[in-house]
Amino acid sequence: MTPYYRFLVNFCFSFSFAQKDLKIEGTIIEEDTNIPLEYATVVVKTKTDNKIITGGITDTKGRFNIEVPIGTYIISVEYISYKTKNFPERNFDKDTDLGTISLALDVASLNEVMVVAERTTVEIKLDKKVYNIGKDLTTAGGTVSDALNNVPSVAVDVEGAISLRGNENVRILINGKPSAMAGFGDSNILSQLPAEAIERVEVITSPSARYDAEGTAGILNIILRQKETLGFNGSVNLTAGNPDNLGVSATLNYRKEKYNLFSNFGWRYSDAPRTTFTDVDYYDTYDEDGQLRELEFRKIIEDQNVDRLSRNYNANIGMEYFLNESSSVTGSLFYNFGNDSDISTNNSDRFNDSYTLIEQTLRREKETEKDNKYQVALNYVKRFGEDSDHKLTADFQYEKDKEDGLTYLNEDYVFTDPSNSDVFQIEQEYTYEDQKEYLVQADYVLPLGKDSRFEAGYRGNFKNSNTDYQLEQEDIENGNFGNLVVNDTISNIFDYTENVNALYTQYGSKIGRFSYLFGLRLENTQLKGKIDSRLTEQELVAEFGFPIDTDFNNNYLGLFPTVNFIYNLNTSDNGNEESVTLGYNRRINRPRGWYINPFPSRSSRTNVFQGNPNLDPAYSSTFDLGYLKRWEKFTLTSSIYYQHETDSFERVQENTGQTTTDGIDIIRTIPINLATNKRTGAELGLMYNPEKWLRLNSSFNFFQFETEGDFNGVDYGAKNTSWFARFSSKVTLPLAIDWQTSAFYRGARQDAQSDTEGIFSLDLAFSKEILNKKATVSVNVRDLLNSRKYESVTTTDFYSRYSEFQWRQRQVNVSFIYRFNQRLNNKDRSGERGNGGGDDMEFEG
């Protein structure tokens, strides 16, 4: 071989070798035990700009094998609750075996990891309490609504309505923003999302100026899980229960250096019965001429049973792309499809003055509803310089929801007076609802020194809903039985728009142990609606009993200040902390479309809900004083608060003066603006972990409200005291079986017209990890005693009504969760640890 040829061959070989990646391999074990560590993370990065080149995870034998281009790198090995091992910078020009790498336990972080993974903990920040959701067995196989019912200060009633400190005017956010996942002005979809999707819940009773001023009770911000570990990871959850409850959900994520793909998918099928019982006694009343009104019936008892079939599909997919070291773009698409079918039978017994049964009827109702909703979201983050807290974020969201509903109603006599020739009309209702919502938001954060921060931003929220309601009734007046004709005096189209534009600024700082946050938000609210009906305004007044503006456009401009203080009385390295917080904020409660639409619902012929287009927004001012004391094994949280609300909403019941075709008074429920609502309360939370195998958690909320105001000459002022408490315990039994018990009691309460009995419920669960802790099997029973029933007595000048309502019967679920490649890396831990005393300067929502 000539020297020239030899040189050419060597050059080509060297060139081809330079273009080929080399391999770095090794084995990672636990120090002292030599047990292989599966899912340990290996990261390869450059020293100059600390840029991650690649990475990998270990297999079941602790081995890893990754490929990198020839170059000079720093290698670090990480594993949850173990000390990170860093290899000094070195040049890699050939395949390299790093041999066996031993990692030692990090005792200081071990308790921290257990806190995040195993139990629910609380962190106190300037403007919120953060509850990191642990392994709550009683909600395994359940929904987000079920999980919320185990968060202190929060209660979910038998109908799924969420309240905060006993106040239902609470704003629900998903990942800090309004979202289709939380529904359009309601929380129904939260009963479809799996509880395992929640990472933490932020209870914000004194929201900073960054948040929308909506929600006089405050804000619940639900943070969903989003893994950021390198590689492919996820989990699959299977659920089966009785009454019929089947569900499949999956969380899949794929993380590389430049992007992070995340997704959640779910399917749910349920067929849960609902029962309602009412017993109404009618009083003697007099007409305008002072004549005693003749009563067709003295007492009516109704017993309703509803089979509720629900099929629900949801999917959320997205990608975060890192444009460079300082900026990223995230896009996501959420879709939900619901297909519900309710079949109801209502038996009605009717009694005369001597309380003799004289008539029975059977009412059948079939309601079907299809609901399509989706949301497109884009987020841009730009960080300035080395300080990651100096940043600009921009968000855009578009949501659309389309609902098609059909209700068929038919009632027949089981027996009646032979001389009675009356017949009931068959009715058929069509409801088409189209809702759209746009969100545009920009936020700027500027750190000022080490312990201060300035923020400013804009948010625009633009909503529109169009409801087309059509009622068809059997033409019995003309003897055309079976022939349905449109009732165009009740059929209507209601177009409703809510536009909110807001500017805010806030400043926070820390001086020694003292931290503060001042904020001011300016909001302009535009509420406008148009009612398309055949009825004239005079006819509407005659029909509904008050003047109605069929084409309104109202604007409200308001300033919403917030002030939050926190003082750390004591902090120490052993985990003992003590702090005091004080907050003030002003909030608004805007009426929703269904609260304004004056055309009544017709799910019952005798009891209807009717909106009030004359409703104005309500405003509240709230003061909150809190105290936290944390010992090594015991945590105490407490607060007292006072709220003064003007033009507060109250739902009242009154006689419309109209009767059904068979002579029964029609009672309507209508929302009104009362003069004031004063609310005072206190709450106490206790978390105690005396042993590794035993954890105890309890909370107690006491509140009193006093309302003043009248409507249509009736005084609806009232004063009431109520409370609710919860207790849960988790015990680790032999064979590593976890046993959890959770109890909840809501005390009796009263308002101007109703007395409601207390409600008690008890949940029980058992859980066992299998397959090398990659999977969990759990069995839980929700409402073990089947006692979660709503019982109330409503008294007016016209009648007294006893009601008993059970939204969901005792539920037994079996759940299987399988996890793959899941673990918390150091970044996850540091992000979750925070500071219980509120030292951190994370003010954003």
Side-chain angles (χ1 to χ4, degrees):
M1 182 179 293
T2 65
Y4 174 78
Y5 184 73
R6 186 181 297 111
F7 169 78
L8 183 62
V9 171
N10 289 338
F11 175 80
C12 293
F13 177 79
S14 300
F15 180 80
S16 63
F17 180 79
Q19 302 304 305
K20 186 176 181 180
D21 289 347
L22 57 88
K23 295 182 179 179
I24 300 176
E25 59 185 356
T27 303
I28 301 175
I29 63 174
E30 181 184 62
E31 192 175 281
D32 298 330
T33 65
N34 295 330
I35 296 175
L37 295 178
E38 185 183 5
Y39 300 139
T41 303
V42 182
V43 178
V44 180
K45 55 187 176 181
T46 60
K47 181 178 180 181
T48 54
D49 55 5
N50 205 36
K51 181 179 180 181
I52 297 177
I53 301 302
T54 187
I57 59 175
T58 57
D59 59 19
T60 55
K61 297 182 179 180
R63 296 182 301 202
F64 66 90
N65 190 322
I66 55 180
E67 295 184 355
V68 297
I70 291 176
T72 302
Y73 306 112
I74 294 174
I75 296 180
S76 63
V77 179
E78 306 172 353
Y79 194 70
I80 184 172
S81 74
Y82 289 76
K83 294 180 180 179
T84 298
K85 179 167 287 189
N86 294 305
F87 289 84
E89 184 181 31
R90 62 181 285 188
N91 181 54
F92 292 90
D93 56 5
K94 62 180 180 180
D95 291 349
T96 303
D97 187 349
L98 296 178
T100 301
I101 304 168
S102 300
L103 296 184
L105 278 171
D106 186 352
V107 178
S109 68
L110 186 59
N111 290 334
E112 192 76 48
V113 172
M114 183 183 67
V115 162
V116 173
E118 294 293 334
R119 64 181 187 237
T120 298
T121 60
V122 60
E123 300 173 16
I124 305 296
K125 298 192 177 184
L126 265 170
D127 59 345
K128 57 195 168 189
K129 293 178 183 177
V130 181
Y131 293 94
N132 297 301
I133 303 299
K135 292 183 178 179
D136 195 332
L137 309 181
T138 61
T139 63
T143 67
V144 169
S145 290
D146 297 327
L148 288 178
N149 209 29
N150 285 343
V151 174
S153 304
V154 180
V156 183
D157 71 11
V158 293
E159 295 179 288
I162 299 171
S163 63
L164 180 59
R165 292 173 166 176
N167 188 346
E168 292 185 3
N169 183 227
V170 55
R171 178 73 157 161
I172 307 294
L173 301 179
I174 303 291
N175 296 332
K177 302 178 185 68
S179 173
M181 294 186 192
F184 288 78
D186 59 49
S187 57
N188 291 334
I189 198 169
L190 297 181
S191 63
Q192 306 296 340
L193 297 176
E196 288 77 19
I198 297 181
E199 181 173 290
R200 64 183 185 272
V201 176
E202 298 177 347
V203 178
I204 311 172
T205 53
S206 186
S208 69
R210 193 178 214 236
Y211 293 100
D212 183 5
E214 172 70 29
T216 55
I219 295 171
L220 287 181
N221 185 22
I222 301 170
I223 307 298
L224 301 182
R225 297 186 186 276
Q226 183 176 321
K227 295 293 182 181
E228 292 190 351
T229 26
L230 291 171
F232 181 62
N233 58 86
S235 64
V236 177
N237 183 10
L238 306 176
T239 300
N242 180 50
D244 291 352
N245 179 34
L246 300 174
V248 179
S249 64
T251 300
L252 305 174
N253 300 275
Y254 183 66
R255 172 71 185 269
K256 297 291 285 184
E257 177 201 352
K258 295 289 291 183
Y259 60 87
N260 180 36
L261 296 172
F262 54 90
S263 62
N264 294 278
F265 304 94
W267 170 80
R268 191 177 185 88
Y269 171 95
S270 66
D271 191 357
R274 171 173 65 84
T275 60
T276 304
F277 175 84
T278 61
D279 185 346
V280 184
D281 286 290
Y282 292 94
Y283 301 148
D284 287 334
T285 55
Y286 298 87
D287 59 24
E288 296 178 354
D289 298 327
Q291 299 297 316
L292 182 66
R293 294 177 63 238
E294 182 179 351
L295 290 175
E296 186 77 17
F297 304 104
R298 177 62 66 179
K299 175 191 281 285
I300 297 178
I301 297 176
E302 293 185 299
D303 192 356
Q304 182 186 42
N305 292 278
V306 183
D307 289 326
R308 298 177 298 151
L309 175 62
S310 175
R311 291 150 292 187
N312 186 275
Y313 313 83
N314 63 77
N316 182 38
I317 58 175
M319 181 178 74
E320 180 180 11
Y321 184 76
F322 305 97
L323 300 173
N324 49 49
E325 292 293 324
S326 62
S327 60
S328 65
V329 175
T330 303
S332 64
L333 172 65
F334 171 77
Y335 174 75
N336 176 267
F337 174 73
N339 188 1
D340 299 338
S341 179
D342 293 354
I343 298 178
S344 165
T345 58
N346 190 349
N347 290 281
S348 179
D349 296 340
R350 300 166 183 179
F351 300 82
N352 61 14
D353 274 342
S354 59
Y355 293 94
T356 301
L357 180 64
I358 59 172
E359 191 170 275
Q360 271 189 332
T361 66
L362 175 62
R363 176 182 172 88
R364 291 173 291 271
E365 178 180 337
K366 182 177 182 180
E367 180 181 3
T368 59
E369 180 180 274
K370 292 184 177 181
D371 187 3
N372 276 280
K373 57 169 63 75
Y374 68 86
Q375 171 188 287
V376 179
L378 291 174
N379 168 264
Y380 171 75
V381 178
K382 170 64 178 177
R383 302 183 185 274
F384 301 93
E386 296 181 0
D387 190 344
S388 61
D389 287 337
H390 184 197
K391 61 183 179 180
L392 172 69
T393 61
D395 293 274
F396 171 79
Q397 283 184 186
Y398 171 71
E399 304 173 9
K400 184 177 177 63
D401 184 12
K402 185 176 181 181
E403 298 181 14
D404 295 333
L406 170 62
T407 303
Y408 176 85
L409 306 102
N410 183 28
E411 189 165 0
D412 293 307
Y413 288 105
V414 176
F415 79 83
T416 184
D417 190 306
S419 63
N420 184 9
S421 60
D422 293 336
V423 294
F424 296 104
Q425 283 181 304
I426 295 175
E427 294 184 353
Q428 197 159 259
E429 301 173 279
Y430 298 90
T431 304
Y432 307 95
E433 190 167 6
D434 193 357
Q435 303 182 75
K436 300 176 183 176
E437 181 172 346
Y438 296 87
L439 171 70
V440 180
Q441 180 174 338
D443 300 284
Y444 176 69
V445 180
L446 175 64
L448 301 172
K450 180 182 178 181
D451 295 323
S452 300
R453 173 180 289 186
F454 169 81
E455 292 188 43
Y458 162 81
R459 174 181 284 188
N461 224 48
F462 313 100
K463 306 177 187 178
N464 175 262
S465 64
N466 188 285
T467 304
D468 187 346
Y469 175 82
Q470 180 175 297
L471 173 66
E472 294 182 353
Q473 295 176 306
E474 189 176 18
D475 187 15
I476 59 176
E477 290 186 3
N478 298 317
N480 297 322
F481 297 100
N483 182 38
L484 301 181
V485 295
V486 176
N487 183 333
D488 54 7
T489 62
I490 294 180
S491 301
N492 68 95
I493 298 176
F494 182 53
D495 191 282
Y496 182 64
T497 298
E498 176 185 301
N499 296 326
V500 180
N501 287 278
L503 295 170
Y504 82 91
T505 182
Q506 63 184 24
Y507 175 78
S509 185
K510 177 174 179 260
I511 304 173
R513 295 184 177 184
F514 178 73
S515 302
Y516 62 87
L517 179 63
F518 299 137
L520 184 64
R521 188 177 187 90
L522 174 67
E523 283 193 355
N524 177 259
T525 301
Q526 180 189 38
L527 304 178
K528 62 178 182 178
K530 185 175 183 180
I531 303 170
D532 186 359
S533 168
R534 200 199 74 169
L535 298 178
T536 65
E537 291 193 16
Q538 291 76 17
E539 290 173 325
L540 287 170
V541 171
E543 180 75 18
F544 303 127
F546 51 84
I548 291 177
D549 188 352
T550 58
D551 190 357
F552 59 90
N553 188 347
N554 301 321
N555 280 269
Y556 307 90
L557 184 67
L559 281 173
F560 302 92
T562 60
V563 180
N564 290 301
F565 301 101
I566 187 168
Y567 183 74
N568 291 325
L569 299 170
N570 175 47
T571 58
S572 60
D573 295 335
N574 61 8
N576 294 349
E577 300 172 15
E578 187 176 14
S579 64
V580 176
T581 59
L582 177 65
Y584 163 78
N585 66 87
R586 185 171 187 257
R587 311 284 295 165
I588 186 175
N589 182 10
R590 306 180 185 97
R592 294 289 180 252
W594 68 286
Y595 254 41
I596 289 181
N597 189 348
F599 286 89
S601 66
R602 294 181 63 82
S603 58
S604 170
R605 294 189 309 117
T606 58
N607 294 279
V608 299
F609 178 88
Q610 179 183 342
N612 181 0
N614 300 321
L615 272 184
D616 291 326
Y619 295 90
S620 72
S621 293
T622 304
F623 296 87
D624 190 298
L625 177 64
Y627 173 76
L628 165 75
K629 176 66 175 176
R630 193 195 310 271
W631 294 268
E632 182 179 357
K633 296 182 178 182
F634 186 81
T635 300
L636 180 149
T637 60
S638 60
S639 64
I640 56 176
Y641 56 91
Y642 171 76
Q643 181 183 84
H644 184 273
E645 185 175 358
T646 58
D647 287 333
S648 62
F649 298 164
E650 180 80 11
R651 285 182 289 187
V652 300
Q653 299 181 21
E654 61 179 14
N655 197 318
T656 62
Q658 302 172 351
T659 61
T660 61
T661 55
D662 49 342
I664 303 175
D665 288 342
I666 298 177
I667 308 301
R668 72 175 177 187
T669 301
I670 183 170
I672 62 172
N673 285 116
L674 281 180
T676 60
N677 184 358
K678 301 173 185 177
R679 183 179 293 265
T680 306
E683 56 186 356
L684 177 69
L686 304 172
M687 296 181 182
Y688 182 46
N689 301 276
E691 302 291 342
K692 184 177 180 180
W693 55 269
L694 175 63
R695 296 164 199 153
L696 305 175
N697 190 342
S698 66
S699 63
F700 176 80
N701 280 260
F702 170 87
F703 51 91
Q704 179 185 83
F705 68 85
E706 183 178 358
T707 59
E708 297 176 358
D710 60 82
F711 180 70
N712 284 347
V714 179
D715 183 6
Y716 290 104
K719 188 174 184 179
N720 171 242
T721 299
S722 188
W723 59 280
F724 65 89
R726 56 169 52 87
F727 171 82
S728 68
S729 65
K730 186 176 179 182
V731 180
T732 301
L733 302 173
L735 303 179
I737 296 174
D738 288 330
W739 165 31
Q740 183 171 332
T741 304
S742 180
F744 174 84
Y745 181 80
R746 174 159 186 165
R749 63 189 189 275
Q750 299 83 35
D751 57 28
Q753 294 180 309
S754 299
D755 292 338
T756 304
E757 296 294 327
I759 298 176
F760 175 78
S761 64
L762 180 67
D763 301 336
L764 198 64
F766 295 91
S767 174
K768 169 70 176 174
E769 290 188 339
I770 58 176
L771 304 178
N772 293 325
K773 297 187 177 182
K774 292 182 180 180
T776 302
V777 176
S778 62
V779 178
N780 62 57
V781 183
R782 296 189 60 80
D783 195 12
L784 176 68
L785 306 178
N786 204 34
S787 58
R788 195 172 171 83
K789 299 178 181 179
Y790 178 95
E791 298 179 57
S792 67
V793 176
T794 300
T795 305
T796 72
D797 293 337
F798 300 92
Y799 65 90
S800 174
R801 180 175 65 200
Y802 168 79
S803 301
E804 184 178 303
F805 177 78
Q806 187 172 22
W807 180 262
R808 183 173 64 180
Q809 298 179 5
R810 175 174 44 232
Q811 180 75 49
V812 181
N813 288 323
V814 178
S815 179
F816 174 80
I817 302 176
Y818 181 79
R819 301 170 292 273
F820 55 93
N821 296 353
Q822 285 199 6
R823 67 215 178 275
L824 292 175
N825 56 26
N826 285 347
K827 179 179 179 181
D828 293 328
R829 291 206 307 271
S830 63
E832 285 302 310
R833 284 164 60 178
N835 190 302
D839 285 344
D840 62 87
M841 297 300 294
E842 182 191 356
F843 301 141
E844 72 258 33

